[in-house]
């Protein structure tokens, strides 16, 4: 892709990279030396800039702080086996970013602004892309309503910002999940399919309550009957039931996860039958009782694959069978990692080389 010359760059006079222990990276703790900023004013995008990473200065009546017009993305850059840096499916993330922005009544970001912004930032901060196995550079594009006003209104001004930071392998403990039958994350017609800030703020209380009872996260169910499984806090859910890979169908209350989509594509390649359909709580319970529930896992950019150990259904804990390297979720995780690192063929052109 031809990079635009319409980008002003101010390099940081020093780097913070020496403060980072790349062998013990904690998710979300470090940010790179620079950030990308583009302002939207008078109905058009202003000249974007890359500047040294710094705090933002916001007027107290900046609309985003009050009415929640904020949208974000989460994606990763990987150090490949040949030392090149690749972005994983940035065009799909761009598409989802615009879907979220449209739902929140915010202007779409043109593809070249999004892709070139990430490309340039990652290029300038390329020393920050870790080469340790399982590590990557997490990239966070986001947009906020930046008009300064008291009134409840659609903002006329926005800031599109991209920041990034190195993250380590995700050695999470196997998850203990509780099926949520009271609180709701998202309802049909709401904002569940958009990656907007409010969806996460609203999920904190039920998740805290589950944590107090010894669970890591809740498994959200539909808002009307609490009967069908939706997704997890920051992950889509997949099951292996009777050797079929099953996942809830996307709807306006579920985020269209890039990891979910990639895993389903690879599952079909691995000759698994894939079913995208409604998954009821009763089917999960029956799966445990009839010993057909073989695997359950969360899929998302941060963890890639997070194995589920226990699912609590209406107060009763059900345990998944032990898994090993031959389990579907571990095999597909390895396949995905090999594609990203350029070790296996990238048949679907998911890698964008910086
Ligand atoms: C609510 C929610 N569901 C699912 C996902 C997984 O999506 P992805 O695989 O694109 O990271 C995320 C993470 O972005 C999320 O926040």
């Amino acid at each position: 892709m031809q990079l635009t010359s319409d980008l002003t760059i101010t390099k940081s006079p020093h780097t913070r990279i020496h403060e980072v222990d790349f062998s013990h990276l904690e998710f979300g703790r470090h940010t790179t030396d620079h950030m990308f900023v583009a302002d939207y004013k008078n109905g058009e995008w202003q000249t974007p800039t890359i500047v040294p990473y710094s705090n933002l200065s916001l007027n107290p009546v900046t609309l985003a702080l009050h009415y929640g017009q904020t949208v974000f993305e989460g994606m990763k850059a990987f150090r490949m086996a040949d030392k090149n840096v690749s972005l994983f499916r940035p065009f799909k993330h761009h598409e989802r970013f615009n879907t979220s922005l449209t739902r929140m009544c915010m202007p779409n970001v043109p593809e070249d602004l999004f892709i070139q912004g990430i490309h340039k930032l990652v290029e300038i901060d390329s020393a920050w892309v870790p080469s340790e196995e399982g590590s990557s550079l997490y990239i966070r594009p986001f947009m906020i309503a930046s008009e300064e006003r008291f009134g409840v209104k659609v903002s006329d001004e926005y800031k599109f910002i991209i920041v990034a930071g190195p993250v380590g392998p995700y050695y999470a403990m196997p998850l203990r999940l509780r099926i949520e039958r009271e609180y709701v994350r998202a309802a049909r017609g709401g904002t569940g399919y958009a990656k907007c800030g409010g969806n996460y703020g609203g999920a904190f209380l039920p998740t805290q309550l589950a944590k107090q009872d010894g669970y890591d996260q809740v498994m959200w169910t539909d808002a009307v009957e609490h009967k069908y499984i939706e997704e997890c806090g920051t992950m889509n859910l997949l099951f292996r039931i009777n050797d079929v890979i099953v996942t809830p169908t996307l709807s306006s209350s579920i985020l269209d996860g890039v990891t979910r989509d990639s895993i389903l594509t690879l599952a079909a390649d691995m000759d698994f039958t894939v079913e995208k359909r409604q998954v009821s709580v009763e089917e999960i319970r029956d799966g445990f009782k009839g010993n057909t529930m073989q695997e359950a896992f969360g899929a998302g950019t941060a963890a890639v694959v997070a194995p589920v150990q226990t699912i609590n259904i209406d107060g009763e804990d059900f345990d998944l069978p032990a898994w090993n390297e031959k389990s579907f979720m571990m095999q597909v995780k390895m396949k995905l990692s090999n594609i990203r690192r350029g070790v296996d063929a990238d048949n679907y052109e998911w890698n964008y080389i910086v």
Side-chain angles (χ1 to χ4, degrees):
M1 176 176 281
Q2 187 67 35
L3 290 188
T4 180
S5 51
D6 243 8
L7 169 71
T8 60
I9 298 174
T10 309
K11 286 268 187 87
S12 174
H14 47 78
T15 177
R16 287 177 281 105
I17 201 163
H18 309 295
E19 297 166 14
V20 180
D21 176 0
F22 278 83
S23 53
H24 295 97
L25 290 169
E26 196 184 312
F27 191 92
R29 183 158 145 64
H30 300 288
T31 50
T32 64
D33 292 323
H34 298 89
M35 62 187 194
F36 172 95
V37 183
D39 286 314
Y40 183 88
K41 274 185 192 153
N42 305 320
E44 58 187 14
W45 288 100
Q46 311 295 306
T47 304
T49 57
I50 286 183
V51 291
Y53 189 93
S54 69
N55 288 348
L56 299 175
S57 169
L58 294 178
N59 185 297
V61 294
T62 299
L63 286 175
L65 300 177
H66 302 263
Y67 310 121
Q69 255 193 316
T70 68
V71 158
F72 67 101
E73 263 306 317
M75 49 185 284
K76 282 177 172 174
F78 296 87
R79 180 75 63 188
M80 302 176 84
D82 64 5
K83 304 285 179 235
N84 276 329
V85 172
S86 80
L87 306 176
F88 187 68
R89 304 192 72 179
F91 295 97
K92 184 144 176 75
H93 283 281
H94 168 253
E95 208 180 287
R96 185 172 71 185
F97 195 49
N98 277 346
T99 301
S100 303
L101 291 170
T102 300
R103 180 62 182 85
M104 298 308 290
C105 219
M106 297 161 82
N108 281 14
V109 171
E111 184 181 275
D112 59 345
L113 188 65
F114 186 89
I115 300 290
Q116 292 182 15
I118 294 171
H119 183 137
K120 265 290 164 197
L121 181 69
V122 171
E123 197 172 66
I124 287 173
D125 282 333
S126 64
W128 289 80
V129 183
S131 39
E132 286 77 3
E133 177 81 37
S135 300
S136 55
L137 185 74
Y138 183 81
I139 302 165
R140 168 59 58 86
F142 66 103
M143 204 203 285
I144 60 169
S146 52
E147 187 182 339
E148 300 163 0
R149 281 287 195 99
F150 265 129
V152 179
K153 74 178 283 282
V154 175
S155 182
D156 283 330
E157 295 177 7
Y158 296 89
K159 265 189 189 304
F160 168 45
I161 301 176
I162 308 169
V163 296
V167 296
Y170 197 90
Y171 292 124
M173 294 290 286
L175 295 174
R176 288 171 51 77
L177 301 179
R178 176 159 84 185
I179 293 185
E180 181 59 58
R181 296 278 215 173
E182 185 187 346
Y183 289 97
V184 167
R185 171 186 174 273
R188 298 287 158 97
T191 58
Y193 70 100
K195 216 163 155 53
C196 58
N199 287 344
Y200 298 82
F204 286 156
L205 177 65
T207 306
Q208 279 304 108
L209 295 175
K211 282 190 174 162
Q212 282 169 13
D213 291 339
Y215 299 92
D216 300 299
Q217 285 187 36
V218 300
M219 234 185 210
W220 298 107
T221 49
D222 71 278
V224 179
E225 298 177 278
H226 288 294
K227 192 170 157 189
Y228 297 101
I229 302 295
E230 300 241 300
E231 61 174 319
C232 252
T234 55
M235 292 183 294
N236 293 109
L237 286 165
L238 291 93
F239 304 91
R240 183 170 156 220
I241 306 172
N242 235 348
D243 272 331
V244 175
I245 306 304
V246 180
T247 188
T249 332
L250 294 179
S251 72
S252 57
S253 55
I254 297 180
L255 191 80
D256 179 1
V258 177
T259 317
R260 170 189 179 277
D261 181 78
S262 309
I263 289 176
L264 294 180
T265 303
L266 296 178
D269 280 356
M270 292 158 74
D271 288 333
F272 276 94
T273 304
V274 171
E275 291 181 1
K276 300 179 217 176
R277 56 170 173 78
Q278 284 193 319
V279 182
S280 70
V281 176
E282 285 324 302
E283 181 181 355
I284 304 280
R285 198 191 324 251
D286 289 347
F288 280 114
K289 292 198 166 156
N291 291 322
T292 53
M293 176 61 74
Q294 297 159 299
E295 298 180 42
F297 59 99
T301 295
V304 187
V305 160
V308 176
Q309 178 183 309
T310 304
I311 299 178
N312 180 279
I313 310 176
D314 301 331
E316 191 176 354
D317 277 353
F318 292 91
D319 286 329
L320 273 298
W323 67 89
N324 57 38
E325 291 311 307
K326 292 209 173 103
S327 304
F328 166 74
M329 58 186 161
M330 292 306 165
Q331 284 194 34
V332 83
K333 182 178 181 180
M334 178 64 75
K335 260 188 186 300
L336 206 45
S337 162
N338 285 345
I339 292 171
R340 288 162 159 172
R341 296 183 57 245
V343 173
D344 281 359
D346 178 18
N347 295 331
Y348 299 99
E349 299 185 358
W350 286 339
N351 293 333
Y352 170 105
I353 313 293
V354 174

